[in-house]
Amino acid sequence: MAAKIQLAMAFQNRAPKVSVFTFSFFFFLLSLCFSRSSGQQGTPFACDTENNPAVAGFGFCNSSLGFEARVEDLVKRLTLTEKIGFLVSKAGSVTRLGIPKYEWWSEALHGVSRVGQGTSFSTVVPGATSFPQVILTAASFNATLFETIGKVVSTEARAMYNAGLAGLTFWSPNVNIFRDPRWGRGQETPGEDPLLSSKYAVSYVRGLQQREDGNPDHLKVAACCKHYTAYDLDNWKGTDRFHFNAVVSPQDLEDTFQPPFKSCVIDGNVASVMCSYNQVNGKPTCADPDLLAGVIRGQWKLNGYIVSDCDSVEVLYVKQHYTKTPEEAAAISISAGLDLDCGNFLGGHTEAAVTAGLVNETAIDRAVSNNAMTLMRLGFFDGNPSKQLYGKLGPNDVCTPENQELAREAARQGIVLLKNSPKSLPLSPSAIKSLAVIGPNANVTDTMIGNYAGIPCKYTTPLQGLSAIVSTSYQPGCIDVACVSAQLDEAKKIAASADATVLVVGTNQSIEAEGRDRVDLNLPGQQALLITEVAKASKGPVILVIMTGGGMDVTFAKNDDKITSILWVGFPGEAGGAAIADVIFGSFNPSGRLPMTWYPQSYVEKVPMTDMRMRPDASTGYPGRTYRFYKGETVYSFGDGLSYTDFKHHLVQAPEMVSIPLEEGHICRSSKCYSLDVVQESCQNLGFEVHLRVKNLGQRSGSHTVFLYSSPPSVHNSPQKHLLGFEKVSLEAGGETVAQFKVDVCKDLSVADETGSRKVALGLHVLHVGTLKHSLNIGV
């Protein structure tokens, strides 16, 4: 989103009290009364026939008509100037039709955000539940959790809308692939894997959009999958997102960058897709008819609107110099399939573009219709929201105890245990009488919620969470995360006398953020020195807690015997400190797995961030990217994560051979083929199931993610392995269950060829789960 909008500082350590929210509800009732009163003079709600009887005769206000008929009626009534007012995020009012102004830009990345001009907090709703940053939630590999969080966020969003504090269109989630570990916005994404990102996108979108009455045509709130496409560089060594041309092969586009967006639209039925700032292969994404009208609208059949990232249309003219005039920029964007401009560039230049004959009014009608249809599905044109399905929601439905507990649970499920020496974790609350808590992130608040956050209900810092269990002593060790000069003496002193030491280090938005990519993978400043020296001085176990959005090269800590345990906690949200304490002291058994590869520093020293290639190139020594293609050394790998118990897998069911039916005369009946085109005739009902028995061998109950991977034959420069599915199972000590996977041969086992076409590779595919491997032959 536009760099000119900055996150405001969140209130710190404000605990919610019932009396505060009761007081807020009083203000909420007053605000509704004021809205009705002012509605006699203005237009607070579209099609409010009770307070504005003149609108009763408008077809677009007739809820007995279908949405298409209502939209058609609305568009016919608008003048060209009024239509253009519907193309920008700060949509103007049309008083003569009883339509109020509407601000499209609200955000809900991991809770209702204060970023975006459509959302604000006040004494009526002073805060909203702030869940962990997406990268940590993704580490839970729990699709049910993804959707549940979405449901809670949309409920709180509707409550805030009723109070006049939020819109109904939320430009979330971010489903870009975390391609390069230096990317400042990787924290916002579900990670590096296309399947995980797709499943997260679909689940979170469903949670946001689906109504409890099950009506698929109506929306609870409208989600938006962004930033389309191949956007994963913000500002690296002089190259920024406003000028970057992502050179992407058709193969990489098909099997890496596009899948989350495709799933978002086709499986999630998302109401919007946002195009990005960057160019792809020389064309700005917001002005590329192949990517917008061709793929999103044409191939995927988007039921909704396409919106630009903020000021993107202006960027392609002013910064990229893609067109000679602003009118041309407006015209090519609308003609390419853009419906809404986050900003006012289209508002200022579209009418002149029409006058100059650069774009016709029919294209504008199409865009306005797509935008209006979305608002229709949200009930915006159905009058007073208090009389609709979610009309009774208010401040008491925000920051509920249940929602805050879910934030804590989400953090617990995402936390990843990366290292655990014998007799280290979990710590015993009865055996540990004193705990040293050290580090620049040990007592932080707003760091825990990452970016695109709102104002949390309250905070629990790591220090507060740990202090609630045992007696603690605290030293920051560094003034801030930059840690220009580590303050070692006092930190070593408390570590030397404590029964155990917890070091909480990492980054914050000053290190990795929107508009700020990293240049290395090292912990900032002298944090590594602080860790090593404190570990040397400690008399008890040393638990290193890493609070970051991206991976770090912590090889020194991994190999240091004095550091007995390592936890990665992402940016864990408002309840992060409580969740960290739950894991460290064993009231929760960790089950998170890394959603991205942690590379050594040497990797980024030889790989430019601007090189978009996913696949390795042996001729130049280019190593490739992500677990699917990179074969080099890692600090920790995608999917890594330990538990306080042990799990065993046993294959129960999987085929050894799958035959693909071919029509008579097919060339592959008489000639040797290495792959087949994915065509509907051959693929129909072509699938199988894999059943795996999972047993908890330990003495503790726990949850476990079962990953099903496939290694395809080496054709078309295919991935060395890729994820087919994952299932999260929970088992009591000694318990067992069967995890079941349905595999669609053409969808799940296909690979992209060099032209970006889908092929089923013939020959030996190896399915694997953990150390289990199973051979599967696909033939004709």
Side-chain angles (χ1 to χ4, degrees):
M1 215 50 65
K4 63 187 178 185
I5 303 296
Q6 297 182 356
L7 291 177
M9 291 295 290
F11 295 154
Q12 305 216 355
N13 302 320
R14 187 189 62 256
K17 296 182 174 65
V18 174
S19 59
V20 170
F21 280 88
T22 302
F23 185 64
S24 297
F25 188 67
F26 171 72
F27 276 99
F28 171 64
L29 293 176
L30 282 179
S31 72
L32 287 182
C33 293
F34 176 77
S35 294
R36 294 191 185 99
S37 174
S38 63
Q40 295 168 10
Q41 302 170 16
T43 52
F45 307 119
C47 300
D48 186 2
T49 56
E50 183 177 327
N51 288 300
N52 189 4
V55 303
F58 297 149
F60 68 86
C61 290
N62 185 350
S63 59
S64 68
L65 297 177
F67 286 149
E68 289 187 7
R70 295 175 69 186
V71 169
E72 184 179 356
D73 178 80
L74 171 61
V75 175
K76 283 181 179 178
R77 294 177 185 273
L78 297 172
T79 66
L80 176 60
T81 301
E82 289 167 343
K83 289 174 185 176
I84 292 170
F86 275 80
L87 299 180
V88 296
S89 53
K90 194 177 290 296
S93 61
V94 183
T95 307
R96 67 184 183 86
L97 298 179
I99 301 173
K101 63 183 180 181
Y102 179 72
E103 174 57 64
W104 285 81
W105 182 10
S106 292
E107 301 275 357
L109 183 67
H110 53 107
V112 178
S113 169
R114 67 186 310 174
V115 177
Q117 297 167 6
T119 309
S120 60
F121 293 90
S122 71
T123 53
V124 177
V125 180
T129 309
S130 190
F131 291 94
Q133 183 59 289
V134 175
I135 193 70
L136 186 71
T137 298
S140 72
F141 283 88
N142 185 344
T144 302
L145 177 66
F146 305 158
E147 184 168 342
T148 303
I149 291 173
K151 287 180 179 178
V152 167
V153 173
S154 59
T155 296
E156 295 196 349
R158 270 284 179 173
M160 292 180 66
Y161 172 73
N162 291 343
L165 296 172
L168 293 170
T169 47
F170 289 84
W171 293 344
S172 305
N174 179 341
V175 298
N176 292 118
I177 295 296
F178 198 171
R179 172 186 62 93
D180 189 289
R182 292 162 288 195
W183 188 30
R185 301 188 73 176
Q187 60 182 286
E188 302 173 30
T189 76
E192 72 181 36
D193 181 69
L195 180 81
L196 171 60
S197 298
S198 296
K199 286 189 176 293
Y200 179 87
V202 171
S203 298
Y204 191 65
V205 165
R206 285 176 177 167
L208 288 176
Q209 292 192 166
Q210 287 185 350
R211 293 174 24 136
E212 278 71 7
D213 63 4
N215 189 326
D217 296 325
H218 291 75
L219 298 168
K220 189 177 180 184
V221 302
C224 173
C225 288
K226 62 185 186 184
H227 311 79
Y228 180 82
T229 184
Y231 167 66
D232 48 26
L233 178 149
D234 267 60
N235 194 343
W236 180 78
K237 292 188 175 182
T239 300
D240 67 38
R241 57 186 174 170
F242 307 119
H243 299 88
F244 181 53
N245 175 30
V247 178
V248 185
S249 71
Q251 187 174 33
D252 286 342
L253 197 65
E254 167 63 26
D255 73 1
T256 296
F257 299 108
Q258 294 291 69
F261 293 99
K262 183 177 182 179
S263 294
C264 231
V265 176
I266 294 176
D267 301 320
N269 195 24
V270 73
S272 178
V273 174
M274 175 184 285
C275 52
S276 53
Y277 291 115
N278 57 291
Q279 296 184 357
V280 173
N281 298 328
K283 290 184 180 180
T285 63
C286 292
D288 189 333
D290 295 326
L291 286 176
L292 303 189
V295 175
I296 299 177
R297 187 78 61 188
Q299 294 179 22
W300 299 344
K301 310 298 182 187
L302 172 71
N303 180 18
Y305 68 101
I306 299 174
V307 60
S308 73
D309 204 339
C310 291
D311 302 320
S312 282
V313 184
E314 181 178 1
V315 164
L316 72 88
Y317 166 63
V318 174
K319 294 183 181 293
Q320 298 176 5
H321 308 294
Y322 190 73
T323 63
K324 293 181 179 179
T325 68
E327 292 77 20
E328 288 174 338
I332 65 167
S333 299
I334 295 170
S335 298
L338 186 69
D339 300 310
L340 187 73
D341 174 18
C342 176
N344 195 45
F345 192 83
L346 291 186
H349 301 288
T350 301
E351 191 160 354
V354 173
T355 302
L358 299 173
V359 64
N360 58 45
E361 196 166 345
T362 302
I364 294 169
D365 289 350
R366 180 219 71 224
V368 173
S369 296
N370 290 331
N371 298 338
M373 178 64 78
T374 304
L375 292 178
M376 285 284 179
R377 297 175 66 199
L378 287 162
F380 180 82
F381 290 100
D382 291 339
N384 194 326
S386 67
K387 298 180 179 179
Q388 298 177 33
L389 177 62
Y390 297 105
K392 304 304 179 188
L393 294 175
N396 285 344
D397 298 294
V398 183
C399 285
T400 66
E402 295 79 11
N403 294 357
Q404 293 184 62
E405 179 58 30
L406 182 64
R408 182 172 181 170
E409 175 64 16
R412 285 191 293 232
Q413 287 198 30
I415 289 172
V416 183
L417 178 62
L418 293 170
K419 174 182 177 181
N420 199 26
S421 304
K423 298 183 181 179
S424 180
L425 291 182
L427 299 179
S428 166
S430 58
I432 301 297
K433 303 299 183 185
S434 60
L435 185 70
V437 182
I438 298 166
N441 278 344
N443 198 34
V444 292
T445 51
D446 55 307
T447 296
M448 295 196 301
I449 58 177
N451 66 355
Y452 281 83
I455 299 176
C457 313
K458 65 175 183 179
Y459 286 107
T460 303
T461 72
L463 178 61
Q464 289 170 334
L466 294 165
S467 298
I469 299 174
V470 295
S471 175
T472 59
S473 52
Y474 164 66
Q475 284 292 327
C478 305
I479 295 174
D480 52 31
V481 291
C483 200
V484 174
S485 178
Q487 301 164 346
L488 298 175
D489 292 344
E490 291 302 314
K492 290 165 66 175
K493 182 179 179 181
I494 64 171
S497 61
D499 294 334
T501 297
V502 175
L503 279 153
V504 190
V505 301
T507 64
N508 60 20
Q509 301 304 301
S510 72
I511 305 294
E512 49 179 340
E514 181 173 13
R516 183 178 293 116
D517 299 323
R518 289 186 285 158
V519 293
D520 62 52
L521 302 182
N522 299 317
L523 287 168
Q526 293 190 347
Q527 286 192 33
L529 176 65
L530 173 69
I531 293 165
T532 302
E533 291 300 309
V534 166
K536 284 180 186 175
S538 298
K539 77 169 184 178
V542 177
I543 297 92
L544 177 62
V545 177
I546 302 170
M547 189 181 293
T548 62
M552 311 297 290
D553 186 348
V554 290
T555 304
F556 75 95
K558 180 180 180 180
N559 296 334
D560 188 339
D561 291 340
K562 285 287 290 180
I563 299 169
T564 53
S565 301
I566 300 176
L567 291 167
W568 175 69
V569 301
F571 294 128
E574 64 171 42
I580 291 167
D582 291 339
V583 170
I584 287 176
F585 281 95
S587 62
F588 188 87
N589 190 348
S591 61
R593 301 290 195 95
L594 285 182
M596 72 294 203
T597 302
W598 284 30
Y599 301 88
Q601 169 62 18
S602 59
Y603 174 85
V604 297
E605 289 171 355
K606 58 190 175 187
V607 178
M609 196 172 173
T610 49
D611 194 326
M612 299 294 292
R613 290 176 297 165
M614 298 300 299
R615 289 159 165 82
D617 184 347
S619 66
T620 62
Y622 182 73
R625 296 180 179 276
T626 77
Y627 81 93
R628 294 161 60 233
F629 301 106
Y630 173 66
K631 297 179 181 178
E633 203 177 310
T634 65
V635 180
Y636 290 107
S637 300
F638 176 90
D640 277 359
L642 304 172
S643 169
Y644 295 152
T645 187
D646 295 308
F647 296 91
K648 183 179 180 182
H649 308 110
H650 174 74
L651 183 64
V652 176
Q653 174 184 322
E656 295 182 355
M657 170 71 79
V658 172
S659 294
I660 299 177
L662 298 179
E663 69 273 15
E664 290 295 330
H666 194 287
I667 190 173
C668 293
R669 283 183 174 272
S670 56
S671 303
K672 183 173 178 61
C673 293
Y674 295 97
S675 64
L676 292 171
D677 290 328
V678 171
V679 293
Q680 189 172 356
E681 294 76 21
S682 301
C683 293
Q684 206 162 16
N685 302 318
L686 193 62
F688 58 87
E689 292 192 2
V690 176
H691 295 180
L692 291 144
R693 183 176 294 112
V694 186
K695 184 168 184 177
N696 182 349
L697 301 177
Q699 302 302 309
R700 290 175 174 267
S701 61
S703 295
H704 175 65
T705 299
V706 184
F707 294 110
L708 176 63
Y709 291 99
S710 169
S711 291
S714 296
V715 295
H716 303 303
N717 209 359
S718 58
Q720 58 182 336
K721 71 173 183 177
H722 63 107
L723 191 61
L724 300 183
F726 56 87
E727 291 292 333
K728 189 107 174 188
V729 299
S730 296
L731 294 170
E732 297 296 322
E736 63 179 54
T737 190
V738 174
Q740 301 183 10
F741 296 89
K742 291 184 178 180
V743 179
D744 181 316
V745 171
C746 292
K747 180 180 178 182
D748 300 324
L749 294 181
S750 64
V751 298
D753 71 6
E754 292 77 3
T755 68
S757 299
R758 280 280 164 182
K759 306 275 191 177
V760 176
L762 299 176
L764 180 65
H765 294 246
V766 178
L767 305 179
H768 35 116
V769 176
T771 57
L772 279 180
K773 292 189 177 181
H774 174 76
S775 295
L776 167 70
N777 272 291
I778 296 182
V780 295

